[in-house]
Amino acid sequence: MQDENTPQADAPRKRGRPKIYSEPLTQAERARRYRAKRANDFSPPAEMRDATLIDAVRWGINQKHASLDLYLEELVRRFHSKGADVLK
């Protein structure tokens, strides 16, 4: 016999996004957290998300940085119709 305070295993999940804190985040707070994660992504280009990779290319063009080749090669590898074979 189940107690009233015992949660049921097959209880339906609540609708919407899960809460991060005691109350839901506003859209502005959620967007700020998302942008902060993208700005601090220092993973190698092969592990970067597409939006972060494009941001890195944009930054490399503006700064005339030498690592721009790495980001462009990764974009070609991901999105060119022939894939990684085009780089060989």
Side-chain angles (χ1 to χ4, degrees), residues 14 17-26 29-30 33:
K14 292 183 178 180
R17 295 183 177 136
K19 294 179 182 179
I20 295 178
Y21 301 109
S22 62
E23 58 187 38
L25 295 177
T26 65
E29 291 168 334
R30 193 172 301 282
R33 289 170 56 97

Side-chain angles (χ1 to χ4, degrees), residues 3-59:
D3 188 19
E4 298 165 356
N5 299 330
T6 316
Q8 293 179 337
D10 57 350
R13 291 183 52 163
K14 292 183 178 180
R15 292 179 56 188
R17 295 183 177 136
K19 294 179 182 179
I20 295 178
Y21 301 109
S22 62
E23 58 187 38
L25 295 177
T26 65
Q27 290 298 323
E29 291 168 334
R30 193 172 301 282
R32 184 172 46 246
R33 289 170 56 97
Y34 172 74
R35 286 191 304 267
K37 283 181 188 177
R38 276 184 43 190
N40 296 326
D41 189 5
F42 298 112
S43 57
E47 297 174 5
M48 284 182 171
R49 294 177 300 202
D50 294 342
T52 308
L53 192 59
I54 291 172
D55 287 344
V57 168
R58 185 178 298 123
W59 176 84

Side-chain angles (χ1 to χ4, degrees), residues 42-79:
F42 298 112
S43 57
E47 297 174 5
M48 284 182 171
R49 294 177 300 202
D50 294 342
T52 308
L53 192 59
I54 291 172
D55 287 344
V57 168
R58 185 178 298 123
W59 176 84
I61 290 172
N62 289 338
Q63 301 296 322
K64 297 181 175 83
H65 201 266
S67 67
L68 182 61
D69 308 1
L70 299 171
Y71 303 127
L72 290 174
E73 285 178 6
E74 181 60 25
L75 281 173
V76 168
R77 187 189 66 77
R78 287 185 194 183
F79 297 109

